[in-house]
Amino acid sequence: MENKDQMKSPTGCPISHNAAAFDVFEGEYHINPAEALKWSRDEEPVFYNPKLGYWVVSRYDDVKSVFRDNILFSPCIALEKITPAPEEAMEVLKSYGYAINRTLVNEDEPAHMERRRVLMDSFNLDELEKHKPAIQKLTKEYMDLFIDKGEADLVAEMFQDIPLIIALHFLGVSDEDAEKIRSFSVAHTVNTWGRPTPEEQMGVAHSVGNFWQVAGEIIEKMKANPDGEGWMYHTVRQHFLYPDIVTESYLHSMMMAILAAAHETTSHATSNIFRVLLENRDKWEELCDNPKLIPNAIEECLRYEGSVVAWRRQATADTKIGGVDIPSGARLLIVLASANHDERHFENPDEIDLYRDNTTEHLTFGYGSHQCMGKNIARMELRIFLEEFIKRLPHLKLKADQEYKFLPNTSFRGSSELWVEWDPDQNPERLDPDILRVKQDFKMGPPSKNEIFRRVTISDLSYEADDIIRVKIKHPSGKTLPKWSAGSHLGLIVGDYNRKYSLCGDLSDHNYYEIAILKEHDGRGGSKYFHDALKSGDMVQIVGPKNHFRLDENADHYILIAGGIGITPIIAMADRLKELNKDYSIHYAGRSLSTMAFVERLKNDHGNHLNLYPKENGLRMNLHKITGTLQAGQQIYACGPERLLNELDEMSSSWPEGTLHYEHFSSVTSELNSDHEHAFEVELMDTGITVNVSADQTVLDAILAVGIDVPYDCKEGICGTCEVDVFEGEIDHRDQVLTSSEKRKANRMMTCSSRASGNKLKLTL
Ligand code: FES
């Protein structure tokens, strides 16, 4: 029976207890925002929070889709005071002439893109690289001040200073007022994203008013002498050239916003990264052993505990997010920290994995046209800090029993102190001063996926069936390996070969990974090489695990279909469904029992659910019969040879959408032959950029070349990672991810393989 007193959302739906109790300023969210919203990711991914008057969005795909559509989800409230000020505080602000308006952060289209385009030059990678020597010099000088002390509060003694000095230098602002700007920035955060008490509101209002005036004075000085170096000088010059685009009001608002934003998030990110790595000592030591992992470690820590926790958007029309009705005008708190821990997107999200190959897909820098412009300068600073510390203070430890304090606010997170200690007698430079000259040469921008490998050992290798070997893999020093989920695969790299294999071992055993390799006599040589060369005790490299063939665990009935070696992901799915006590059947076809892997294990573990079809025994798998009596909500998962999947694909046109899921072993995509292809244009609607795709180029490569981050993995049209929505234009689909009915809808494509049939595609990107 409905409780009459139960609170209702603006759409009239009852508000759950968890949704009503959620508090962004206190309790768990304040300590660990990702953990505080775990219940939401699992049960209620979009909910109305009456305390804040906002809809909270917690899952990765939903947060990303909000970022992606900056028309439907306007950024206009991003800098609005989340806690309204009392009348007196408003009067104080007015007395300073405070009138913060639109900046790049909270501006709608088309003005936003127009401005972003005329201001972006200083953010190209070559320009940013010029700041590297200054960051290296400052880092060394600051470390020199405490290297022999044996203890330090890294926030006070380094992490809050260097990002501020570099930010001011980048902007072209003198650092003589650095201390004042820092305290103003804190007030700006409290004013915009915090919950000051009525008494505190007055002090905050004075600080913010002062900040506004100082920002105005700096702008006036720059306008009087606009030839200086730095991004804000460039902005002033662009104001003179394009006064209607870079307006007077914009200059003043942007100066204030950027003075705070350009350093605070990097300062917080630095302290978070060091704390997280020192709390996970084995990761710290791994980095000390292999500094090449630094760029990925930075991204992984930004994912695991980023300094930007949440952002805000406002719906401009009635819509839905994650199936939940959202009314026009609704205010949204999109929680990046929660999205970054969404297990639907990241395997083992609550573990730090320095080898995670999709870690750069974290949302800490935002996504889409409003993505943080300073992300690459922040990356450069963070890499230099970490590089210097693991070189000069590898024996650094966190001081025990310290309490970490965070400023209560919705959006930014970093401890105000970080106490560390070490034994100066153990400083490596005392033994070998030359280590100070050692420098890693990281390229600018996000880390390349092609450089992220995990070294593992083959612990056991045995024949599983004719031409199939079973390979067990373990960590070289016996540590546990990251967890994996049914449907996951690994990339195995040995010699010149890099091949993908589904994991098929025991899901609960984290000491080993297990894969099965079929020797393909007509293949490209990789599987033959692995059969001939691999032996127990070999050290090999792997990528992953990652999962592009994820099992939806919410259905009640499942049909699992495997052909040949396609049994490998299917057996893991069967194990999982058994564990979940679901209704499932397995249909497994092969040439003969002797060529079919895992038959005995399947009989033992899944006997009642198993149907075998060895052709040699005259048994054929009849797909029409197997799928003939589909129950409502039934899911079909299939892996096997092309003809099996094609047949299922054709049959799926009469099934409810989302019934069939399949995984291909390999791509059929051939090399692009420019003689047979044509060039075309791709318009990126969210960013307003038009890209020319030449006849010998993929859409993905053309988009990446203009600096737009599109996630990708296989680059062969089989994994689904590079999918984008298509707004207009005829698509020449060449992937093996979308089913035929999905392709007919012509509203999405895989950018790594599919192309335009005509001269233009419009993508919502
Ligand atoms: Fe895998 Fe495009 S990157 S389908």
PDB file of all heavy atoms in Angstrom, residues 639-669:
ATOM      1  N   CYS A 639      28.831 -17.558 -29.555  1.00  0.00           N
ATOM      2  CA  CYS A 639      30.186 -17.334 -30.038  1.00  0.00           C
ATOM      3  C   CYS A 639      30.558 -18.524 -30.905  1.00  0.00           C
ATOM      4  O   CYS A 639      30.321 -19.685 -30.519  1.00  0.00           O
ATOM      5  CB  CYS A 639      31.158 -17.191 -28.860  1.00  0.00           C
ATOM      6  SG  CYS A 639      32.811 -16.741 -29.402  1.00  0.00           S
ATOM      7  N   GLY A 640      31.102 -18.253 -32.067  1.00  0.00           N
ATOM      8  CA  GLY A 640      31.448 -19.354 -32.958  1.00  0.00           C
ATOM      9  C   GLY A 640      31.800 -18.842 -34.322  1.00  0.00           C
ATOM     10  O   GLY A 640      32.047 -17.648 -34.513  1.00  0.00           O
ATOM     11  N   PRO A 641      31.820 -19.749 -35.310  1.00  0.00           N
ATOM     12  CA  PRO A 641      32.223 -19.332 -36.657  1.00  0.00           C
ATOM     13  C   PRO A 641      31.222 -18.382 -37.313  1.00  0.00           C
ATOM     14  O   PRO A 641      30.052 -18.312 -36.907  1.00  0.00           O
ATOM     15  CB  PRO A 641      32.304 -20.655 -37.426  1.00  0.00           C
ATOM     16  CG  PRO A 641      31.647 -21.673 -36.587  1.00  0.00           C
ATOM     17  CD  PRO A 641      31.538 -21.168 -35.193  1.00  0.00           C
ATOM     18  N   GLU A 642      31.713 -17.693 -38.325  1.00  0.00           N
ATOM     19  CA  GLU A 642      30.909 -16.662 -39.006  1.00  0.00           C
ATOM     20  C   GLU A 642      29.529 -17.156 -39.420  1.00  0.00           C
ATOM     21  O   GLU A 642      28.524 -16.483 -39.198  1.00  0.00           O
ATOM     22  CB  GLU A 642      31.625 -16.185 -40.285  1.00  0.00           C
ATOM     23  CG  GLU A 642      32.859 -15.357 -40.041  1.00  0.00           C
ATOM     24  CD  GLU A 642      32.588 -14.169 -39.164  1.00  0.00           C
ATOM     25  OE1 GLU A 642      31.626 -13.422 -39.417  1.00  0.00           O
ATOM     26  OE2 GLU A 642      33.332 -14.020 -38.186  1.00  0.00           O
ATOM     27  N   ARG A 643      29.480 -18.342 -40.054  1.00  0.00           N
ATOM     28  CA  ARG A 643      28.177 -18.760 -40.617  1.00  0.00           C
ATOM     29  C   ARG A 643      27.140 -18.975 -39.513  1.00  0.00           C
ATOM     30  O   ARG A 643      25.964 -18.693 -39.678  1.00  0.00           O
ATOM     31  CB  ARG A 643      28.314 -19.990 -41.519  1.00  0.00           C
ATOM     32  CG  ARG A 643      28.789 -21.216 -40.834  1.00  0.00           C
ATOM     33  CD  ARG A 643      28.844 -22.418 -41.768  1.00  0.00           C
ATOM     34  NE  ARG A 643      29.200 -23.587 -41.008  1.00  0.00           N
ATOM     35  CZ  ARG A 643      30.404 -23.823 -40.523  1.00  0.00           C
ATOM     36  NH1 ARG A 643      31.388 -22.976 -40.752  1.00  0.00           N
ATOM     37  NH2 ARG A 643      30.648 -24.901 -39.796  1.00  0.00           N
ATOM     38  N   LEU A 644      27.602 -19.450 -38.363  1.00  0.00           N
ATOM     39  CA  LEU A 644      26.688 -19.643 -37.232  1.00  0.00           C
ATOM     40  C   LEU A 644      26.143 -18.286 -36.767  1.00  0.00           C
ATOM     41  O   LEU A 644      24.930 -18.106 -36.588  1.00  0.00           O
ATOM     42  CB  LEU A 644      27.450 -20.321 -36.087  1.00  0.00           C
ATOM     43  CG  LEU A 644      26.718 -20.412 -34.753  1.00  0.00           C
ATOM     44  CD1 LEU A 644      25.655 -21.498 -34.809  1.00  0.00           C
ATOM     45  CD2 LEU A 644      27.668 -20.703 -33.609  1.00  0.00           C
ATOM     46  N   LEU A 645      27.038 -17.315 -36.619  1.00  0.00           N
ATOM     47  CA  LEU A 645      26.619 -16.008 -36.127  1.00  0.00           C
ATOM     48  C   LEU A 645      25.766 -15.284 -37.170  1.00  0.00           C
ATOM     49  O   LEU A 645      24.798 -14.604 -36.820  1.00  0.00           O
ATOM     50  CB  LEU A 645      27.835 -15.173 -35.737  1.00  0.00           C
ATOM     51  CG  LEU A 645      28.732 -15.798 -34.656  1.00  0.00           C
ATOM     52  CD1 LEU A 645      29.853 -14.841 -34.269  1.00  0.00           C
ATOM     53  CD2 LEU A 645      27.939 -16.166 -33.404  1.00  0.00           C
ATOM     54  N   ASN A 646      26.118 -15.456 -38.450  1.00  0.00           N
ATOM     55  CA  ASN A 646      25.310 -14.809 -39.502  1.00  0.00           C
ATOM     56  C   ASN A 646      23.890 -15.354 -39.515  1.00  0.00           C
ATOM     57  O   ASN A 646      22.917 -14.622 -39.693  1.00  0.00           O
ATOM     58  CB  ASN A 646      25.953 -15.012 -40.873  1.00  0.00           C
ATOM     59  CG  ASN A 646      27.217 -14.192 -40.994  1.00  0.00           C
ATOM     60  OD1 ASN A 646      27.426 -13.257 -40.210  1.00  0.00           O
ATOM     61  ND2 ASN A 646      28.071 -14.530 -41.941  1.00  0.00           N
ATOM     62  N   GLU A 647      23.784 -16.674 -39.325  1.00  0.00           N
ATOM     63  CA  GLU A 647      22.447 -17.281 -39.330  1.00  0.00           C
ATOM     64  C   GLU A 647      21.626 -16.747 -38.164  1.00  0.00           C
ATOM     65  O   GLU A 647      20.464 -16.361 -38.313  1.00  0.00           O
ATOM     66  CB  GLU A 647      22.583 -18.806 -39.246  1.00  0.00           C
ATOM     67  CG  GLU A 647      21.302 -19.532 -39.610  1.00  0.00           C
ATOM     68  CD  GLU A 647      21.444 -21.050 -39.529  1.00  0.00           C
ATOM     69  OE1 GLU A 647      22.591 -21.562 -39.634  1.00  0.00           O
ATOM     70  OE2 GLU A 647      20.398 -21.716 -39.342  1.00  0.00           O
ATOM     71  N   LEU A 648      22.262 -16.671 -37.012  1.00  0.00           N
ATOM     72  CA  LEU A 648      21.557 -16.147 -35.836  1.00  0.00           C
ATOM     73  C   LEU A 648      21.169 -14.688 -36.063  1.00  0.00           C
ATOM     74  O   LEU A 648      20.076 -14.253 -35.703  1.00  0.00           O
ATOM     75  CB  LEU A 648      22.456 -16.245 -34.601  1.00  0.00           C
ATOM     76  CG  LEU A 648      22.517 -17.607 -33.936  1.00  0.00           C
ATOM     77  CD1 LEU A 648      23.667 -17.652 -32.938  1.00  0.00           C
ATOM     78  CD2 LEU A 648      21.203 -17.933 -33.223  1.00  0.00           C
ATOM     79  N   ASP A 649      22.093 -13.949 -36.666  1.00  0.00           N
ATOM     80  CA  ASP A 649      21.844 -12.536 -36.923  1.00  0.00           C
ATOM     81  C   ASP A 649      20.610 -12.363 -37.804  1.00  0.00           C
ATOM     82  O   ASP A 649      19.748 -11.518 -37.533  1.00  0.00           O
ATOM     83  CB  ASP A 649      23.091 -11.943 -37.587  1.00  0.00           C
ATOM     84  CG  ASP A 649      22.999 -10.446 -37.713  1.00  0.00           C
ATOM     85  OD1 ASP A 649      22.304  -9.837 -36.890  1.00  0.00           O
ATOM     86  OD2 ASP A 649      23.604  -9.895 -38.637  1.00  0.00           O
ATOM     87  N   GLU A 650      20.522 -13.178 -38.844  1.00  0.00           N
ATOM     88  CA  GLU A 650      19.341 -13.083 -39.729  1.00  0.00           C
ATOM     89  C   GLU A 650      18.069 -13.422 -38.968  1.00  0.00           C
ATOM     90  O   GLU A 650      17.043 -12.754 -39.090  1.00  0.00           O
ATOM     91  CB  GLU A 650      19.493 -14.052 -40.898  1.00  0.00           C
ATOM     92  CG  GLU A 650      20.214 -13.401 -42.061  1.00  0.00           C
ATOM     93  CD  GLU A 650      20.572 -14.410 -43.129  1.00  0.00           C
ATOM     94  OE1 GLU A 650      19.790 -15.352 -43.318  1.00  0.00           O
ATOM     95  OE2 GLU A 650      21.637 -14.237 -43.745  1.00  0.00           O
ATOM     96  N   MET A 651      18.150 -14.470 -38.141  1.00  0.00           N
ATOM     97  CA  MET A 651      16.957 -14.879 -37.390  1.00  0.00           C
ATOM     98  C   MET A 651      16.542 -13.791 -36.379  1.00  0.00           C
ATOM     99  O   MET A 651      15.367 -13.635 -36.061  1.00  0.00           O
ATOM    100  CB  MET A 651      17.247 -16.182 -36.630  1.00  0.00           C
ATOM    101  CG  MET A 651      17.417 -17.383 -37.549  1.00  0.00           C
ATOM    102  SD  MET A 651      18.201 -18.760 -36.694  1.00  0.00           S
ATOM    103  CE  MET A 651      16.978 -19.138 -35.480  1.00  0.00           C
ATOM    104  N   SER A 652      17.538 -13.025 -35.895  1.00  0.00           N
ATOM    105  CA  SER A 652      17.246 -12.087 -34.807  1.00  0.00           C
ATOM    106  C   SER A 652      16.336 -10.943 -35.236  1.00  0.00           C
ATOM    107  O   SER A 652      15.803 -10.237 -34.392  1.00  0.00           O
ATOM    108  CB  SER A 652      18.545 -11.516 -34.233  1.00  0.00           C
ATOM    109  OG  SER A 652      19.113 -10.605 -35.146  1.00  0.00           O
ATOM    110  N   SER A 653      16.158 -10.758 -36.565  1.00  0.00           N
ATOM    111  CA  SER A 653      15.324  -9.629 -37.005  1.00  0.00           C
ATOM    112  C   SER A 653      13.880  -9.787 -36.522  1.00  0.00           C
ATOM    113  O   SER A 653      13.150  -8.807 -36.402  1.00  0.00           O
ATOM    114  CB  SER A 653      15.383  -9.477 -38.517  1.00  0.00           C
ATOM    115  OG  SER A 653      14.958 -10.680 -39.104  1.00  0.00           O
ATOM    116  N   SER A 654      13.470 -11.027 -36.208  1.00  0.00           N
ATOM    117  CA  SER A 654      12.092 -11.198 -35.732  1.00  0.00           C
ATOM    118  C   SER A 654      12.035 -11.300 -34.192  1.00  0.00           C
ATOM    119  O   SER A 654      10.988 -11.548 -33.625  1.00  0.00           O
ATOM    120  CB  SER A 654      11.469 -12.448 -36.359  1.00  0.00           C
ATOM    121  OG  SER A 654      12.237 -13.574 -35.992  1.00  0.00           O
ATOM    122  N   TRP A 655      13.187 -11.163 -33.545  1.00  0.00           N
ATOM    123  CA  TRP A 655      13.203 -11.256 -32.077  1.00  0.00           C
ATOM    124  C   TRP A 655      13.148  -9.866 -31.462  1.00  0.00           C
ATOM    125  O   TRP A 655      13.542  -8.887 -32.101  1.00  0.00           O
ATOM    126  CB  TRP A 655      14.484 -11.943 -31.593  1.00  0.00           C
ATOM    127  CG  TRP A 655      14.650 -13.354 -32.091  1.00  0.00           C
ATOM    128  CD1 TRP A 655      13.671 -14.184 -32.565  1.00  0.00           C
ATOM    129  CD2 TRP A 655      15.886 -14.062 -32.191  1.00  0.00           C
ATOM    130  NE1 TRP A 655      14.221 -15.384 -32.944  1.00  0.00           N
ATOM    131  CE2 TRP A 655      15.583 -15.339 -32.718  1.00  0.00           C
ATOM    132  CE3 TRP A 655      17.215 -13.780 -31.879  1.00  0.00           C
ATOM    133  CZ2 TRP A 655      16.545 -16.308 -32.945  1.00  0.00           C
ATOM    134  CZ3 TRP A 655      18.186 -14.738 -32.097  1.00  0.00           C
ATOM    135  CH2 TRP A 655      17.846 -15.995 -32.622  1.00  0.00           C
ATOM    136  N   PRO A 656      12.714  -9.804 -30.218  1.00  0.00           N
ATOM    137  CA  PRO A 656      12.733  -8.474 -29.566  1.00  0.00           C
ATOM    138  C   PRO A 656      14.156  -7.912 -29.544  1.00  0.00           C
ATOM    139  O   PRO A 656      15.125  -8.669 -29.389  1.00  0.00           O
ATOM    140  CB  PRO A 656      12.251  -8.763 -28.137  1.00  0.00           C
ATOM    141  CG  PRO A 656      11.560 -10.076 -28.208  1.00  0.00           C
ATOM    142  CD  PRO A 656      12.183 -10.848 -29.331  1.00  0.00           C
ATOM    143  N   GLU A 657      14.251  -6.606 -29.704  1.00  0.00           N
ATOM    144  CA  GLU A 657      15.551  -5.920 -29.697  1.00  0.00           C
ATOM    145  C   GLU A 657      16.340  -6.293 -28.431  1.00  0.00           C
ATOM    146  O   GLU A 657      15.786  -6.367 -27.339  1.00  0.00           O
ATOM    147  CB  GLU A 657      15.274  -4.416 -29.720  1.00  0.00           C
ATOM    148  CG  GLU A 657      16.480  -3.568 -29.552  1.00  0.00           C
ATOM    149  CD  GLU A 657      16.817  -2.808 -30.826  1.00  0.00           C
ATOM    150  OE1 GLU A 657      15.905  -2.650 -31.652  1.00  0.00           O
ATOM    151  OE2 GLU A 657      17.977  -2.408 -30.958  1.00  0.00           O
ATOM    152  N   GLY A 658      17.613  -6.549 -28.596  1.00  0.00           N
ATOM    153  CA  GLY A 658      18.466  -6.826 -27.439  1.00  0.00           C
ATOM    154  C   GLY A 658      18.465  -8.276 -27.002  1.00  0.00           C
ATOM    155  O   GLY A 658      19.031  -8.611 -25.971  1.00  0.00           O
ATOM    156  N   THR A 659      17.829  -9.156 -27.802  1.00  0.00           N
ATOM    157  CA  THR A 659      17.803 -10.571 -27.416  1.00  0.00           C
ATOM    158  C   THR A 659      19.138 -11.244 -27.691  1.00  0.00           C
ATOM    159  O   THR A 659      19.645 -12.010 -26.879  1.00  0.00           O
ATOM    160  CB  THR A 659      16.693 -11.319 -28.211  1.00  0.00           C
ATOM    161  OG1 THR A 659      15.449 -10.711 -27.937  1.00  0.00           O
ATOM    162  CG2 THR A 659      16.647 -12.795 -27.842  1.00  0.00           C
ATOM    163  N   LEU A 660      19.702 -10.930 -28.854  1.00  0.00           N
ATOM    164  CA  LEU A 660      20.913 -11.642 -29.290  1.00  0.00           C
ATOM    165  C   LEU A 660      22.181 -10.848 -28.956  1.00  0.00           C
ATOM    166  O   LEU A 660      22.270  -9.652 -29.213  1.00  0.00           O
ATOM    167  CB  LEU A 660      20.838 -11.865 -30.809  1.00  0.00           C
ATOM    168  CG  LEU A 660      22.067 -12.516 -31.451  1.00  0.00           C
ATOM    169  CD1 LEU A 660      22.259 -13.951 -30.933  1.00  0.00           C
ATOM    170  CD2 LEU A 660      21.960 -12.514 -32.969  1.00  0.00           C
ATOM    171  N   HIS A 661      23.159 -11.561 -28.412  1.00  0.00           N
ATOM    172  CA  HIS A 661      24.482 -10.979 -28.164  1.00  0.00           C
ATOM    173  C   HIS A 661      25.491 -11.968 -28.724  1.00  0.00           C
ATOM    174  O   HIS A 661      25.391 -13.155 -28.453  1.00  0.00           O
ATOM    175  CB  HIS A 661      24.756 -10.824 -26.665  1.00  0.00           C
ATOM    176  CG  HIS A 661      23.630 -10.160 -25.938  1.00  0.00           C
ATOM    177  ND1 HIS A 661      23.626  -8.820 -25.658  1.00  0.00           N
ATOM    178  CD2 HIS A 661      22.462 -10.663 -25.473  1.00  0.00           C
ATOM    179  CE1 HIS A 661      22.493  -8.514 -25.031  1.00  0.00           C
ATOM    180  NE2 HIS A 661      21.773  -9.623 -24.914  1.00  0.00           N
ATOM    181  N   TYR A 662      26.433 -11.484 -29.482  1.00  0.00           N
ATOM    182  CA  TYR A 662      27.431 -12.436 -29.987  1.00  0.00           C
ATOM    183  C   TYR A 662      28.812 -11.834 -30.010  1.00  0.00           C
ATOM    184  O   TYR A 662      28.992 -10.625 -29.933  1.00  0.00           O
ATOM    185  CB  TYR A 662      27.054 -13.001 -31.349  1.00  0.00           C
ATOM    186  CG  TYR A 662      26.727 -12.013 -32.451  1.00  0.00           C
ATOM    187  CD1 TYR A 662      27.659 -11.095 -32.905  1.00  0.00           C
ATOM    188  CD2 TYR A 662      25.476 -12.068 -33.075  1.00  0.00           C
ATOM    189  CE1 TYR A 662      27.350 -10.231 -33.933  1.00  0.00           C
ATOM    190  CE2 TYR A 662      25.160 -11.205 -34.110  1.00  0.00           C
ATOM    191  CZ  TYR A 662      26.108 -10.284 -34.536  1.00  0.00           C
ATOM    192  OH  TYR A 662      25.804  -9.433 -35.559  1.00  0.00           O
ATOM    193  N   GLU A 663      29.781 -12.728 -30.112  1.00  0.00           N
ATOM    194  CA  GLU A 663      31.162 -12.271 -30.200  1.00  0.00           C
ATOM    195  C   GLU A 663      31.855 -13.011 -31.325  1.00  0.00           C
ATOM    196  O   GLU A 663      31.760 -14.230 -31.434  1.00  0.00           O
ATOM    197  CB  GLU A 663      31.918 -12.524 -28.895  1.00  0.00           C
ATOM    198  CG  GLU A 663      33.323 -11.956 -28.953  1.00  0.00           C
ATOM    199  CD  GLU A 663      34.020 -11.994 -27.609  1.00  0.00           C
ATOM    200  OE1 GLU A 663      34.292 -13.095 -27.114  1.00  0.00           O
ATOM    201  OE2 GLU A 663      34.307 -10.923 -27.060  1.00  0.00           O
ATOM    202  N   HIS A 664      32.525 -12.240 -32.161  1.00  0.00           N
ATOM    203  CA  HIS A 664      33.285 -12.844 -33.256  1.00  0.00           C
ATOM    204  C   HIS A 664      34.679 -13.207 -32.768  1.00  0.00           C
ATOM    205  O   HIS A 664      35.230 -12.554 -31.906  1.00  0.00           O
ATOM    206  CB  HIS A 664      33.417 -11.849 -34.408  1.00  0.00           C
ATOM    207  CG  HIS A 664      32.154 -11.706 -35.193  1.00  0.00           C
ATOM    208  ND1 HIS A 664      31.942 -12.357 -36.370  1.00  0.00           N
ATOM    209  CD2 HIS A 664      31.036 -10.992 -34.958  1.00  0.00           C
ATOM    210  CE1 HIS A 664      30.742 -12.037 -36.840  1.00  0.00           C
ATOM    211  NE2 HIS A 664      30.166 -11.212 -35.994  1.00  0.00           N
ATOM    212  N   PHE A 665      35.246 -14.234 -33.369  1.00  0.00           N
ATOM    213  CA  PHE A 665      36.647 -14.576 -33.049  1.00  0.00           C
ATOM    214  C   PHE A 665      37.591 -13.572 -33.663  1.00  0.00           C
ATOM    215  O   PHE A 665      38.588 -13.200 -33.134  1.00  0.00           O
ATOM    216  CB  PHE A 665      37.047 -15.910 -33.683  1.00  0.00           C
ATOM    217  CG  PHE A 665      36.273 -17.070 -33.218  1.00  0.00           C
ATOM    218  CD1 PHE A 665      36.015 -18.109 -34.088  1.00  0.00           C
ATOM    219  CD2 PHE A 665      35.812 -17.151 -31.928  1.00  0.00           C
ATOM    220  CE1 PHE A 665      35.318 -19.205 -33.673  1.00  0.00           C
ATOM    221  CE2 PHE A 665      35.107 -18.252 -31.512  1.00  0.00           C
ATOM    222  CZ  PHE A 665      34.859 -19.287 -32.393  1.00  0.00           C
ATOM    223  N   SER A 666      37.272 -13.193 -34.892  1.00  0.00           N
ATOM    224  CA  SER A 666      38.235 -12.369 -35.611  1.00  0.00           C
ATOM    225  C   SER A 666      37.491 -11.482 -36.584  1.00  0.00           C
ATOM    226  O   SER A 666      36.332 -11.708 -36.893  1.00  0.00           O
ATOM    227  CB  SER A 666      39.195 -13.248 -36.395  1.00  0.00           C
ATOM    228  OG  SER A 666      38.446 -14.036 -37.293  1.00  0.00           O
ATOM    229  N   SER A 667      38.209 -10.487 -37.074  1.00  0.00           N
ATOM    230  CA  SER A 667      37.559  -9.546 -37.970  1.00  0.00           C
ATOM    231  C   SER A 667      37.587 -10.052 -39.404  1.00  0.00           C
ATOM    232  O   SER A 667      38.410 -10.875 -39.770  1.00  0.00           O
ATOM    233  CB  SER A 667      38.264  -8.210 -37.892  1.00  0.00           C
ATOM    234  OG  SER A 667      39.299  -8.167 -38.806  1.00  0.00           O
ATOM    235  N   VAL A 668      36.664  -9.514 -40.195  1.00  0.00           N
ATOM    236  CA  VAL A 668      36.737  -9.782 -41.625  1.00  0.00           C
ATOM    237  C   VAL A 668      37.094  -8.478 -42.351  1.00  0.00           C
ATOM    238  O   VAL A 668      37.089  -8.417 -43.547  1.00  0.00           O
ATOM    239  CB  VAL A 668      35.401 -10.332 -42.186  1.00  0.00           C
ATOM    240  CG1 VAL A 668      35.143 -11.715 -41.673  1.00  0.00           C
ATOM    241  CG2 VAL A 668      34.248  -9.407 -41.855  1.00  0.00           C
ATOM    242  N   THR A 669      37.389  -7.464 -41.520  1.00  0.00           N
ATOM    243  CA  THR A 669      37.714  -6.167 -42.112  1.00  0.00           C
ATOM    244  C   THR A 669      39.034  -6.273 -42.848  1.00  0.00           C
ATOM    245  O   THR A 669      40.009  -6.775 -42.308  1.00  0.00           O
ATOM    246  CB  THR A 669      37.885  -5.114 -40.996  1.00  0.00           C
ATOM    247  OG1 THR A 669      36.790  -5.236 -40.122  1.00  0.00           O
ATOM    248  CG2 THR A 669      37.970  -3.720 -41.565  1.00  0.00           C
TER     249      THR A 669
END
